[in-house]
Amino acid sequence: MSAYDKLVFELSSPGRVGFSLPESDVPGRPMAELLPKKFLRGAAPALPEVSEFDVVRHYSRLSRMNYGLDTHFYPLGSCTMKYNPRINEDMARVPGFARLHPLTRPEDAQGALQLMYDLARMLAEIAGMDAVSLQPAAGAQGEFAGVLMIRAYHASRGEKRTKVLIPDSAHGTNPASTALAGYEVVEVKSLPNGEVDLDALAREVGPDVAAFMITVPNTLGMFEPRIMDITEICHAKGVQVYMDGANLNAILGITRPGDLGFDVCHFNLHKTFTTPHGGGGPGAGPVGVKAVLNANYIMKRLEPSYDVSVPGPCMHECVMSARRQKKQGVTATDIAKRLLDLGFYAPSTYFPLIVEEALMIEPTETESKETLDQFCDAMLQIAREAQENPTIATSAPVTTPVRRLDQTRAAREPNLRWTPRG
């Protein structure tokens, strides 16, 4: 093991320091005189003692082990790794915004308040809604707030509705938000082509149903072609229709949720409007686009070697299946691991759950054809390897700093604390 394969604690040497400060010109006092005893440590914290050079080299090396959008293509079907124009990141860090105290008096924050007011009005126009609240601090929180708004709407009408209908292709936050709001979650099955089964929906819609929640385009990357029929079926029974706005970037400028009949929707601003992502991930939002081509290009290139989850064109993402490769002993997990060896981060695997051996690929429209071709070439290479020598995939990755982990054990028994050996 080289010096820089170690934890920073293992690089520590007693008495070594990475800085020097001038002598203080303020008389010192014992800490016990300044703080109550209950707040004092019994012993100094066991922090690493390293030089500045050691710190720089250590963390620089770790940064090169990271896989990020600044250096690589990131096809994961996730909101966390979309490209943000750097100027937008800079604007978000303007001191007038970044350092504005949350308890600033309204009369001293008129600029920020005007910005938020204008943003809400623009979002309302973009989505075809009457009003927009900026209070929720995250997409899932906005989803929960939207469900609570629906609950308040029915309460104002003196109606007690106890159920929320959700397609089986929904994002996992949908049933979580509705359950948290006190509703019973009822799953609505999809047709083999990925569309909502209207007959199944009509059977479930009734006076005890508060809302139907659906993502448009859905998790299979499809625009629901009968969405107007869906909203009409729901509205006929007094049921509100909620749109999960996670994939709004795919229809931005083409249609509006309000025009499709939706009553409530939330926005993931980091996905569609390039706001920096919050504490949930290392990336930010995507660039809004006008023609959704990249995922369709990938789907067509991979179609000869992988199964397509549903027929027809897709929108922002395509969902392939590794059913063929599984017959050769190579699973979606194996393909994901092998991609790491070939220089690509893996797409989402095993989601949506309704697709066997699912590989959900979301390329975003900012990627070039050359990058897409390199990714597709790697996927096609893996498909050939699955036929000719499956061991290559099942033993992957071999080029990463850490080989294949026991993921179940890592999730259930994470080792997050360093203790000196001794």
Side-chain angles (χ1 to χ4, degrees):
M1 178 184 289
S2 70
Y4 294 101
D5 287 327
K6 298 180 178 179
L7 299 176
V8 70
F9 290 96
E10 295 172 307
L11 296 175
S12 180
S13 178
R16 183 171 294 166
V17 295
F19 62 91
S20 60
L21 298 175
E23 290 292 329
S24 174
D25 58 357
V26 177
R29 292 177 60 187
M31 194 63 69
E33 297 180 10
L34 303 175
L35 295 175
K37 184 177 181 180
K38 63 180 180 179
F39 294 129
L40 297 178
R41 286 179 173 272
L47 299 178
E49 299 176 79
V50 291
S51 70
E52 180 177 326
F53 209 9
D54 284 337
V55 171
V56 171
R57 284 181 171 175
H58 177 70
Y59 287 104
S60 294
R61 176 184 169 278
L62 289 180
S63 72
R64 289 196 296 271
M65 294 168 60
N66 287 338
Y67 193 107
L69 195 64
D70 285 346
T71 55
H72 297 84
F73 171 49
Y74 201 94
L76 177 66
S78 166
C79 63
T80 58
M81 291 301 284
K82 304 297 184 268
Y83 177 74
N84 270 5
R86 289 299 178 258
I87 189 173
N88 293 4
E89 296 276 4
D90 289 342
M91 290 303 99
R93 288 191 287 265
V94 168
F97 300 143
R99 298 177 185 175
L100 186 66
H101 195 281
L103 299 182
T104 301
R105 299 183 306 170
E107 54 267 36
D108 295 330
Q110 286 300 299
L113 291 173
Q114 180 179 348
L115 182 145
M116 290 187 284
Y117 174 77
D118 290 342
L119 172 61
R121 290 183 60 191
M122 287 187 282
L123 290 176
E125 174 62 26
I126 288 169
M129 295 286 157
D130 295 328
V132 167
S133 170
L134 301 180
Q135 188 173 17
Q141 190 182 72
E143 187 177 293
F144 177 57
V147 176
L148 293 182
M149 291 177 186
I150 291 174
R151 190 175 74 178
Y153 165 78
H154 289 303
S156 71
R157 296 164 57 88
E159 298 178 353
K160 183 172 177 58
R161 296 175 179 249
T162 60
K163 299 178 180 177
V164 170
L165 309 181
I166 299 176
D168 56 6
S169 63
H171 289 134
T173 52
N174 293 174
S177 295
T178 52
L180 194 61
Y183 284 111
E184 176 188 348
V185 178
V186 178
E187 184 180 82
V188 178
K189 295 295 183 182
S190 298
L191 295 171
N193 65 0
E195 298 176 16
V196 171
D197 186 333
L198 294 191
D199 293 334
L201 174 63
R203 287 194 298 268
E204 296 290 351
V205 168
D208 59 346
V209 175
F212 177 61
M213 298 184 74
I214 183 172
T215 306
V216 178
N218 66 19
T219 310
L220 295 170
M222 293 176 54
F223 183 86
E224 181 64 56
R226 298 182 293 175
I227 190 61
M228 302 291 283
D229 295 332
I230 290 172
T231 55
E232 289 175 6
I233 289 172
C234 293
H235 289 157
K237 298 292 186 178
V239 175
Q240 295 276 284
V241 190
Y242 185 103
M243 187 181 114
D244 182 327
N247 301 330
L248 179 66
N249 59 298
I251 60 173
L252 190 69
I254 301 173
T255 187
R256 306 189 306 173
D259 298 339
L260 299 176
F262 285 99
D263 301 293
V264 183
C265 74
H266 78 267
F267 303 86
N268 292 82
L269 296 185
H270 56 283
K271 294 185 178 184
T272 310
F273 298 100
T274 77
T275 61
H277 200 287
V287 177
V289 298
K290 62 183 180 180
V292 186
L293 299 176
N294 282 2
N296 282 282
Y297 180 76
I298 288 178
M299 182 176 69
K300 285 300 179 183
R301 280 215 59 193
L302 299 185
E303 198 170 26
S305 298
Y306 295 87
D307 290 347
V308 177
S309 60
V310 291
C314 62
M315 297 199 75
H316 63 296
E317 63 193 6
C318 63
V319 179
M320 312 302 290
S321 171
R323 296 186 194 97
R324 292 185 230 175
Q325 289 71 33
K326 188 176 182 180
K327 294 176 182 178
Q328 309 295 327
V330 174
T331 65
T333 295
D334 297 325
I335 293 169
K337 301 298 185 185
R338 179 61 177 144
L339 276 171
L340 299 179
D341 283 339
L342 298 179
F344 292 97
Y345 199 87
S348 294
T349 57
Y350 301 103
F351 186 81
L353 300 177
I354 58 176
V355 177
E356 181 187 0
E357 296 296 322
L359 293 158
M360 186 167 71
I361 304 167
E362 186 174 354
T364 78
E365 295 303 301
T366 52
E367 296 293 348
S368 68
K369 180 177 179 296
E370 291 80 5
T371 298
L372 300 182
D373 281 332
Q374 292 167 8
F375 173 75
C376 290
D377 290 344
M379 288 289 289
L380 295 173
Q381 175 182 330
I382 296 171
R384 290 192 301 271
E385 292 171 347
Q387 288 185 316
E388 300 167 2
N389 189 356
T391 306
I392 296 176
T394 57
S395 61
V398 297
T399 63
T400 52
V402 177
R403 298 289 296 274
R404 189 177 299 207
L405 301 173
D406 181 337
Q407 295 182 178
T408 301
R409 184 180 179 190
R412 294 178 178 175
E413 303 175 25
N415 182 5
L416 305 178
R417 183 181 295 276
W418 176 83
T419 54
R421 295 186 179 92

Coordinates of all heavy atoms in Angstrom, one line a residue, residues 123-205:
L123 N -43.1 30.6 -13.7 CA -43.3 29.2 -13.6 C -44.8 28.8 -13.8 O -45.2 27.8 -14.4 CB -42.9 28.6 -12.2 CG -41.4 28.6 -12.0 CD1 -41.1 28.1 -10.6 CD2 -40.7 27.7 -13.0
A124 N -45.7 29.7 -13.2 CA -47.1 29.5 -13.4 C -47.5 29.6 -14.9 O -48.3 28.7 -15.4 CB -47.9 30.6 -12.6
E125 N -46.9 30.5 -15.6 CA -47.2 30.6 -17.1 C -46.6 29.4 -17.8 O -47.3 28.8 -18.7 CB -46.6 31.9 -17.6 CG -46.6 32.0 -19.1 CD -48.1 32.1 -19.6 OE1 -49.0 32.5 -18.9 OE2 -48.3 31.8 -20.8
I126 N -45.4 29.0 -17.5 CA -44.8 27.8 -18.1 C -45.6 26.6 -17.9 O -45.8 25.8 -18.8 CB -43.4 27.6 -17.6 CG1 -42.4 28.7 -18.1 CG2 -42.8 26.2 -17.9 CD1 -41.1 28.8 -17.4
A127 N -46.2 26.4 -16.7 CA -46.9 25.2 -16.4 C -48.4 25.3 -16.7 O -49.1 24.3 -16.5 CB -46.6 24.8 -14.9
G128 N -48.9 26.5 -17.0 CA -50.3 26.6 -17.2 C -51.1 26.5 -15.9 O -52.2 26.0 -15.8
M129 N -50.5 27.0 -14.8 CA -51.1 27.0 -13.5 C -51.6 28.4 -13.1 O -51.1 29.4 -13.6 CB -50.2 26.4 -12.4 CG -49.8 25.0 -12.6 SD -51.1 23.8 -12.2 CE -50.7 22.4 -13.2
D130 N -52.5 28.4 -12.1 CA -53.0 29.7 -11.6 C -52.0 30.4 -10.7 O -51.9 31.7 -10.7 CB -54.3 29.6 -11.0 CG -55.4 29.1 -11.9 OD1 -55.3 29.4 -13.1 OD2 -56.3 28.4 -11.5
A131 N -51.3 29.6 -9.9 CA -50.4 30.2 -8.9 C -49.3 29.2 -8.6 O -49.5 28.0 -8.8 CB -51.1 30.6 -7.6
V132 N -48.2 29.7 -8.1 CA -47.1 28.8 -7.7 C -46.6 29.2 -6.4 O -46.4 30.4 -6.1 CB -46.0 28.8 -8.8 CG1 -44.7 28.2 -8.2 CG2 -46.4 28.2 -10.1
S133 N -46.3 28.2 -5.5 CA -45.7 28.5 -4.2 C -44.2 28.1 -4.3 O -43.9 27.0 -4.8 CB -46.4 27.7 -3.1 OG -45.6 27.8 -1.9
L134 N -43.4 29.0 -3.8 CA -41.9 28.7 -3.8 C -41.5 28.2 -2.4 O -40.3 28.0 -2.2 CB -41.1 29.9 -4.1 CG -41.4 30.6 -5.5 CD1 -40.5 31.8 -5.7 CD2 -41.2 29.6 -6.6
Q135 N -42.4 27.9 -1.5 CA -42.0 27.6 -0.1 C -41.3 26.2 0.0 O -40.3 26.1 0.7 CB -43.3 27.6 0.8 CG -42.9 27.4 2.2 CD -44.1 27.6 3.1 OE1 -45.3 27.6 2.7 NE2 -43.9 27.8 4.4
P136 N -41.8 25.2 -0.7 CA -41.0 23.9 -0.6 C -39.6 24.0 -1.0 O -39.3 24.7 -2.0 CB -41.8 22.9 -1.5 CG -43.2 23.5 -1.6 CD -43.0 25.0 -1.6
A137 N -38.7 23.3 -0.2 CA -37.3 23.4 -0.4 C -36.7 22.3 -1.3 O -35.5 22.3 -1.5 CB -36.6 23.5 0.9
A138 N -37.5 21.4 -1.8 CA -37.0 20.3 -2.6 C -38.1 19.6 -3.3 O -39.3 19.9 -3.0 CB -36.3 19.2 -1.7
G139 N -37.8 18.9 -4.4 CA -38.8 18.2 -5.2 C -39.8 17.3 -4.4 O -41.0 17.4 -4.5
A140 N -39.2 16.5 -3.5 CA -40.0 15.6 -2.8 C -40.9 16.3 -1.7 O -42.0 16.0 -1.5 CB -39.2 14.5 -2.1
Q141 N -40.3 17.4 -1.2 CA -41.0 18.2 -0.3 C -42.2 18.9 -1.0 O -43.3 19.1 -0.5 CB -40.1 19.2 0.4 CG -40.8 20.0 1.6 CD -39.9 21.0 2.2 OE1 -39.6 22.0 1.6 NE2 -39.4 20.7 3.4
G142 N -41.9 19.4 -2.2 CA -42.9 20.0 -3.0 C -44.1 19.0 -3.3 O -45.2 19.4 -3.3
E143 N -43.7 17.8 -3.6 CA -44.7 16.8 -3.9 C -45.6 16.6 -2.6 O -46.8 16.5 -2.8 CB -43.9 15.5 -4.2 CG -44.8 14.3 -4.6 CD -43.9 13.1 -5.0 OE1 -43.1 13.2 -6.0 OE2 -43.9 12.1 -4.3
F144 N -45.0 16.5 -1.5 CA -45.7 16.3 -0.2 C -46.6 17.5 0.0 O -47.8 17.4 0.3 CB -44.8 16.2 0.9 CG -45.4 16.1 2.3 CD1 -46.4 15.1 2.6 CD2 -45.1 17.0 3.3 CE1 -47.0 15.0 3.8 CE2 -45.6 16.9 4.5 CZ -46.6 15.9 4.8
A145 N -46.1 18.8 -0.3 CA -46.9 20.0 -0.1 C -48.1 19.9 -1.1 O -49.2 20.4 -0.7 CB -46.1 21.2 -0.3
G146 N -47.9 19.5 -2.3 CA -49.0 19.4 -3.3 C -50.1 18.5 -2.9 O -51.2 18.8 -3.0
V147 N -49.7 17.3 -2.3 CA -50.7 16.4 -1.8 C -51.5 17.0 -0.6 O -52.7 16.8 -0.5 CB -50.0 15.1 -1.3 CG1 -51.0 14.1 -0.7 CG2 -49.3 14.4 -2.5
L148 N -50.8 17.8 0.2 CA -51.5 18.4 1.3 C -52.4 19.5 0.8 O -53.5 19.7 1.3 CB -50.5 19.1 2.3 CG -49.6 18.1 3.1 CD1 -48.7 18.9 4.0 CD2 -50.4 17.1 3.9
M149 N -52.1 20.2 -0.3 CA -53.0 21.1 -0.9 C -54.3 20.4 -1.4 O -55.4 20.9 -1.3 CB -52.3 21.8 -2.1 CG -51.2 22.8 -1.7 SD -50.4 23.5 -3.1 CE -49.0 24.4 -2.4
I150 N -54.1 19.3 -2.0 CA -55.2 18.5 -2.5 C -56.1 18.1 -1.3 O -57.3 18.1 -1.4 CB -54.8 17.3 -3.3 CG1 -54.1 17.7 -4.6 CG2 -55.9 16.3 -3.6 CD1 -53.5 16.6 -5.4
R151 N -55.5 17.7 -0.3 CA -56.2 17.3 0.9 C -57.0 18.5 1.5 O -58.2 18.3 1.8 CB -55.3 16.8 2.0 CG -56.0 16.1 3.2 CD -55.0 15.5 4.2 NE -54.3 16.5 5.0 CZ -53.5 16.2 5.9 NH1 -53.2 15.0 6.2 NH2 -52.9 17.2 6.6
A152 N -56.4 19.7 1.5 CA -57.1 20.9 2.0 C -58.2 21.2 1.0 O -59.3 21.7 1.5 CB -56.1 22.0 2.1
Y153 N -58.0 21.0 -0.3 CA -59.1 21.3 -1.2 C -60.3 20.5 -1.0 O -61.5 21.0 -0.9 CB -58.6 21.1 -2.7 CG -59.7 21.0 -3.7 CD1 -60.2 22.2 -4.2 CD2 -60.1 19.8 -4.2 CE1 -61.2 22.1 -5.2 CE2 -61.1 19.7 -5.2 CZ -61.7 20.9 -5.6 OH -62.7 20.8 -6.6
H154 N -60.1 19.2 -0.8 CA -61.3 18.3 -0.5 C -61.9 18.6 0.8 O -63.2 18.6 1.0 CB -60.9 16.8 -0.5 CG -60.5 16.3 -1.9 ND1 -61.4 16.4 -3.0 CD2 -59.4 15.8 -2.4 CE1 -60.9 15.9 -4.1 NE2 -59.6 15.5 -3.8
A155 N -61.1 19.0 1.8 CA -61.6 19.3 3.1 C -62.5 20.6 3.1 O -63.5 20.7 3.7 CB -60.5 19.5 4.1
S156 N -62.1 21.5 2.2 CA -62.8 22.8 2.1 C -64.2 22.5 1.5 O -65.1 23.3 1.6 CB -62.1 23.8 1.2 OG -62.0 23.4 -0.1
R157 N -64.4 21.4 0.8 CA -65.6 21.0 0.2 C -66.4 20.0 1.0 O -67.5 19.5 0.6 CB -65.4 20.4 -1.2 CG -64.7 21.4 -2.2 CD -64.1 20.6 -3.4 NE -65.1 19.8 -4.1 CZ -65.9 20.3 -5.1 NH1 -65.8 21.5 -5.5 NH2 -66.7 19.4 -5.7
G158 N -65.9 19.8 2.2 CA -66.6 18.9 3.1 C -66.5 17.4 2.7 O -67.3 16.6 3.1
E159 N -65.5 17.1 1.9 CA -65.4 15.7 1.4 C -64.3 15.0 2.1 O -63.2 15.5 2.3 CB -65.1 15.7 -0.1 CG -66.2 16.3 -1.0 CD -65.8 16.4 -2.4 OE1 -64.6 16.0 -2.8 OE2 -66.6 16.7 -3.3
K160 N -64.5 13.7 2.5 CA -63.5 12.9 3.1 C -63.1 11.8 2.2 O -63.8 10.8 2.0 CB -64.0 12.3 4.4 CG -63.0 11.5 5.2 CD -63.5 11.1 6.6 CE -62.4 10.2 7.3 NZ -61.2 10.9 7.4
R161 N -62.0 12.0 1.5 CA -61.5 11.0 0.6 C -60.2 10.4 1.2 O -59.3 11.2 1.7 CB -61.2 11.7 -0.8 CG -62.5 12.2 -1.5 CD -62.2 13.0 -2.7 NE -63.4 13.4 -3.4 CZ -63.9 13.0 -4.5 NH1 -63.3 12.0 -5.2 NH2 -65.1 13.4 -5.0
T162 N -60.0 9.1 1.0 CA -59.0 8.4 1.8 C -57.9 7.8 0.9 O -56.9 7.3 1.4 CB -59.6 7.3 2.6 OG1 -60.3 6.4 1.8 CG2 -60.6 8.0 3.6
K163 N -58.1 7.8 -0.4 CA -57.2 7.0 -1.3 C -56.5 7.9 -2.3 O -57.1 8.9 -2.8 CB -57.9 5.9 -2.0 CG -58.5 4.9 -1.1 CD -59.3 3.8 -2.0 CE -60.0 2.8 -1.1 NZ -60.8 1.8 -1.9
V164 N -55.3 7.5 -2.7 CA -54.6 8.2 -3.9 C -54.2 7.0 -4.8 O -53.6 6.1 -4.4 CB -53.4 9.0 -3.4 CG1 -52.6 9.4 -4.6 CG2 -53.9 10.2 -2.6
L165 N -54.5 7.2 -6.1 CA -54.1 6.2 -7.1 C -52.8 6.6 -7.7 O -52.5 7.7 -8.1 CB -55.2 6.2 -8.2 CG -56.6 6.0 -7.7 CD1 -57.6 5.9 -8.9 CD2 -56.8 4.7 -6.9
I166 N -51.9 5.6 -7.9 CA -50.6 5.8 -8.4 C -50.2 4.7 -9.4 O -50.4 3.5 -9.1 CB -49.5 5.9 -7.3 CG1 -49.8 7.0 -6.4 CG2 -48.1 6.0 -7.9 CD1 -48.9 7.1 -5.2
P167 N -49.7 5.0 -10.6 CA -49.4 3.9 -11.5 C -48.2 3.1 -11.0 O -47.4 3.6 -10.2 CB -49.0 4.7 -12.8 CG -49.5 6.0 -12.7 CD -49.6 6.3 -11.2
D168 N -48.1 1.9 -11.5 CA -47.0 1.0 -11.0 C -45.6 1.5 -11.6 O -44.6 0.9 -11.2 CB -47.2 -0.4 -11.4 CG -47.5 -0.7 -12.8 OD1 -47.3 0.3 -13.6 OD2 -47.8 -1.8 -13.2
S169 N -45.6 2.4 -12.5 CA -44.3 2.9 -13.1 C -43.9 4.2 -12.4 O -43.0 4.9 -12.8 CB -44.5 3.2 -14.6 OG -45.5 4.2 -14.8
A170 N -44.5 4.6 -11.2 CA -44.3 5.9 -10.6 C -42.9 5.9 -9.9 O -42.3 4.9 -9.6 CB -45.4 6.1 -9.6
H171 N -42.5 7.2 -9.7 CA -41.3 7.4 -8.8 C -41.6 6.9 -7.4 O -42.8 7.1 -6.9 CB -40.9 8.8 -8.8 CG -40.3 9.3 -10.1 ND1 -40.7 10.5 -10.8 CD2 -39.4 8.7 -10.9 CE1 -40.0 10.6 -11.9 NE2 -39.2 9.5 -12.0
G172 N -40.6 6.5 -6.7 CA -40.8 6.0 -5.3 C -41.3 7.0 -4.4 O -41.9 6.7 -3.3
T173 N -41.0 8.3 -4.7 CA -41.5 9.4 -3.7 C -43.0 9.5 -3.8 O -43.6 10.0 -2.8 CB -40.8 10.7 -4.1 OG1 -41.0 11.0 -5.5 CG2 -39.4 10.7 -3.8
N174 N -43.7 9.1 -4.9 CA -45.1 9.3 -5.0 C -45.9 8.6 -3.9 O -46.6 9.2 -3.1 CB -45.6 8.9 -6.4 CG -45.1 9.8 -7.5 OD1 -45.4 9.5 -8.6 ND2 -44.4 10.9 -7.2
P175 N -45.7 7.3 -3.8 CA -46.4 6.6 -2.7 C -45.9 7.0 -1.3 O -46.7 7.0 -0.3 CB -46.1 5.1 -2.9 CG -44.9 5.1 -3.8 CD -45.0 6.3 -4.6
A176 N -44.6 7.4 -1.2 CA -44.1 7.9 0.1 C -44.8 9.2 0.6 O -45.2 9.3 1.7 CB -42.6 8.0 0.1
S177 N -44.9 10.1 -0.4 CA -45.5 11.4 -0.1 C -47.0 11.2 0.3 O -47.5 11.9 1.3 CB -45.4 12.4 -1.2 OG -44.1 12.7 -1.5
T178 N -47.7 10.4 -0.4 CA -49.2 10.2 -0.2 C -49.4 9.5 1.1 O -50.3 9.9 1.9 CB -49.8 9.5 -1.3 OG1 -49.1 8.3 -1.6 CG2 -49.8 10.3 -2.6
A179 N -48.5 8.5 1.4 CA -48.7 7.8 2.7 C -48.4 8.8 3.9 O -49.1 8.7 4.9 CB -47.8 6.6 2.7
L180 N -47.4 9.6 3.7 CA -47.0 10.6 4.7 C -48.2 11.6 5.0 O -48.3 12.0 6.1 CB -45.7 11.3 4.3 CG -45.0 12.1 5.4 CD1 -44.6 11.2 6.6 CD2 -43.8 12.8 4.8
A181 N -48.9 11.8 3.9 CA -50.0 12.8 4.0 C -51.3 12.1 4.6 O -52.3 12.7 4.8 CB -50.4 13.4 2.7
G182 N -51.2 10.8 4.9 CA -52.3 10.1 5.5 C -53.2 9.4 4.6 O -54.3 8.9 5.0
Y183 N -52.8 9.2 3.3 CA -53.7 8.6 2.4 C -53.3 7.1 2.2 O -52.2 6.7 2.4 CB -53.6 9.2 1.0 CG -54.3 10.5 0.9 CD1 -53.7 11.8 0.8 CD2 -55.7 10.6 0.9 CE1 -54.3 13.0 0.7 CE2 -56.4 11.8 0.8 CZ -55.7 13.0 0.7 OH -56.4 14.1 0.6
E184 N -54.3 6.3 1.8 CA -54.0 4.9 1.4 C -53.6 4.9 -0.1 O -54.2 5.5 -0.9 CB -55.3 4.1 1.5 CG -55.2 2.6 1.0 CD -56.5 1.9 1.0 OE1 -57.5 2.4 1.6 OE2 -56.6 0.8 0.4
V185 N -52.5 4.3 -0.4 CA -52.0 4.2 -1.7 C -52.5 3.0 -2.5 O -52.5 1.9 -2.0 CB -50.4 4.1 -1.7 CG1 -49.9 4.0 -3.1 CG2 -49.8 5.3 -1.0
V186 N -53.1 3.3 -3.6 CA -53.6 2.2 -4.5 C -52.9 2.2 -5.8 O -52.8 3.2 -6.5 CB -55.1 2.4 -4.8 CG1 -55.7 1.3 -5.7 CG2 -55.9 2.4 -3.4
E187 N -52.3 1.1 -6.1 CA -51.5 0.9 -7.4 C -52.4 0.6 -8.5 O -53.2 -0.2 -8.5 CB -50.4 -0.2 -7.2 CG -49.5 -0.3 -8.4 CD -48.4 -1.4 -8.1 OE1 -48.8 -2.6 -8.4 OE2 -47.3 -1.1 -7.7
V188 N -52.1 1.4 -9.6 CA -52.8 1.1 -10.9 C -51.9 0.5 -11.9 O -50.8 1.0 -12.2 CB -53.4 2.4 -11.5 CG1 -54.1 2.2 -12.8 CG2 -54.4 3.1 -10.5
K189 N -52.2 -0.7 -12.4 CA -51.3 -1.4 -13.3 C -51.2 -0.7 -14.7 O -52.1 -0.1 -15.1 CB -51.8 -2.8 -13.5 CG -51.8 -3.7 -12.2 CD -50.4 -3.9 -11.7 CE -50.4 -4.8 -10.5 NZ -49.0 -5.0 -9.9
S190 N -50.0 -0.9 -15.3 CA -49.8 -0.4 -16.6 C -50.1 -1.5 -17.7 O -50.0 -2.7 -17.4 CB -48.4 0.0 -16.8 OG -48.1 1.1 -15.9
L191 N -50.4 -1.1 -18.9 CA -50.5 -2.0 -20.0 C -49.1 -2.5 -20.4 O -48.1 -1.9 -20.1 CB -51.2 -1.3 -21.2 CG -52.7 -0.9 -20.9 CD1 -53.1 -0.1 -22.1 CD2 -53.5 -2.1 -20.7
P192 N -49.0 -3.6 -21.2 CA -47.7 -4.1 -21.6 C -46.9 -3.0 -22.4 O -45.7 -3.1 -22.4 CB -48.1 -5.2 -22.6 CG -49.4 -5.7 -22.0 CD -50.1 -4.5 -21.6
N193 N -47.6 -2.0 -23.0 CA -46.8 -1.0 -23.8 C -46.4 0.2 -22.9 O -45.9 1.2 -23.4 CB -47.6 -0.5 -24.9 CG -48.9 0.2 -24.5 OD1 -49.2 0.4 -23.3 ND2 -49.7 0.7 -25.5
G194 N -46.6 0.0 -21.6 CA -46.2 1.1 -20.6 C -47.2 2.1 -20.3 O -47.0 3.0 -19.4
E195 N -48.3 2.2 -21.1 CA -49.4 3.2 -20.8 C -50.2 2.8 -19.6 O -50.3 1.6 -19.2 CB -50.3 3.3 -22.1 CG -49.5 3.8 -23.3 CD -50.4 3.9 -24.5 OE1 -51.7 3.8 -24.3 OE2 -49.9 3.9 -25.6
V196 N -50.9 3.8 -19.0 CA -51.9 3.5 -18.0 C -53.0 2.7 -18.5 O -53.6 3.0 -19.6 CB -52.4 4.8 -17.3 CG1 -53.5 4.6 -16.3 CG2 -51.2 5.5 -16.6
D197 N -53.5 1.7 -17.8 CA -54.6 0.9 -18.2 C -55.9 1.7 -17.8 O -56.2 1.8 -16.6 CB -54.6 -0.4 -17.4 CG -55.7 -1.4 -17.9 OD1 -56.7 -0.9 -18.3 OD2 -55.5 -2.6 -17.8
L198 N -56.5 2.3 -18.8 CA -57.7 3.2 -18.5 C -58.8 2.4 -17.9 O -59.6 2.9 -17.0 CB -58.2 3.8 -19.8 CG -57.2 4.8 -20.5 CD1 -57.9 5.6 -21.6 CD2 -56.6 5.8 -19.4
D199 N -59.0 1.1 -18.2 CA -60.1 0.3 -17.6 C -59.8 0.1 -16.1 O -60.7 0.2 -15.3 CB -60.2 -1.0 -18.3 CG -60.7 -0.9 -19.8 OD1 -61.4 0.1 -20.0 OD2 -60.4 -1.7 -20.6
A200 N -58.5 -0.2 -15.8 CA -58.1 -0.4 -14.4 C -58.3 0.9 -13.7 O -58.8 0.9 -12.5 CB -56.7 -0.9 -14.3
L201 N -57.9 2.0 -14.3 CA -58.1 3.3 -13.6 C -59.6 3.6 -13.4 O -59.9 4.1 -12.3 CB -57.5 4.4 -14.5 CG -57.7 5.9 -14.0 CD1 -57.0 6.1 -12.7 CD2 -57.2 6.9 -15.1
A202 N -60.4 3.4 -14.4 CA -61.8 3.7 -14.2 C -62.5 2.9 -13.1 O -63.4 3.3 -12.4 CB -62.6 3.5 -15.6
R203 N -62.0 1.6 -13.0 CA -62.5 0.8 -11.9 C -62.2 1.3 -10.5 O -62.9 1.1 -9.5 CB -62.0 -0.7 -12.1 CG -62.6 -1.4 -13.2 CD -62.3 -2.9 -13.1 NE -60.9 -3.2 -13.2 CZ -60.2 -3.5 -14.3 NH1 -60.9 -3.5 -15.5 NH2 -59.0 -3.7 -14.3
E204 N -61.0 1.9 -10.4 CA -60.5 2.4 -9.1 C -61.1 3.8 -8.7 O -61.2 4.1 -7.5 CB -59.0 2.4 -9.0 CG -58.3 1.0 -9.2 CD -58.5 0.1 -8.0 OE1 -59.1 0.6 -7.0 OE2 -58.2 -1.1 -8.1
V205 N -61.3 4.6 -9.7 CA -61.8 6.0 -9.4 C -63.1 6.0 -8.8 O -64.1 5.3 -9.3 CB -61.8 6.8 -10.7 CG1 -62.5 8.1 -10.5 CG2 -60.4 7.1 -11.2

